[in-house]
Amino acid sequence: MTLSSLFTDDVGPLPLLAVAGVGFLIWYVPYLGETDPGWKGFIANILRIVFGIAFLVGLAVVFSVFMAAMVGLIAVLVFMLPLFALGGASGVADRRRRRGYHRDPYGNDYY
């Protein structure tokens, strides 16, 4: 579910209320932690610490997935270099006729 799909006609009010509630909590928990010296402020400060650590862990996961994708792409490209050097993956072989071979209309080579 994307944010733009929340504003279509077939969506009920609950997803929109959930998004509004999360937005309210994002504003209210830090406000409560800074202004309330009682037990609600203490719990709000603990939640701020927990959510801050969760945010940093999420950033680390996203960064590591990005790095793994880049390493995988580089590995594929490095292992493709010999194929390009031999001309097997570059598409050059389809443009040139091989000596001693004839090609039929279906693209098959024969002597």
Side-chain angles (χ1 to χ4, degrees):
M1 179 179 289
T2 61
L3 188 60
S4 62
S5 68
L6 289 175
F7 299 114
T8 58
D9 292 335
D10 57 346
V11 175
L14 288 179
L16 293 172
L17 286 174
V19 170
V22 167
F24 176 73
L25 285 177
I26 288 173
W27 168 79
Y28 189 63
V29 169
Y31 172 77
L32 193 62
E34 292 172 0
T35 58
D36 191 0
W39 63 273
K40 290 186 283 189
F42 179 73
I43 292 176
N45 283 328
I46 290 175
L47 285 176
R48 286 176 68 184
I49 292 169
V50 169
F51 291 150
I53 291 171
F55 179 75
L56 292 177
V57 168
L59 280 180
V61 167
V62 168
F63 182 71
S64 63
V65 166
F66 177 74
M67 291 302 295
M70 288 296 114
V71 167
L73 181 66
I74 289 170
V76 167
L77 292 178
V78 165
F79 284 118
M80 283 175 61
L81 282 177
L83 292 175
F84 282 112
L86 295 174
S90 63
V92 177
D94 292 336
R95 292 188 222 130
R96 240 186 292 153
R97 290 182 180 237
R98 296 189 310 193
R99 184 182 299 171
Y101 286 84
H102 302 283
R103 185 163 292 214
D104 64 1
Y106 301 107
N108 300 317
D109 290 335
Y110 60 94
Y111 288 103

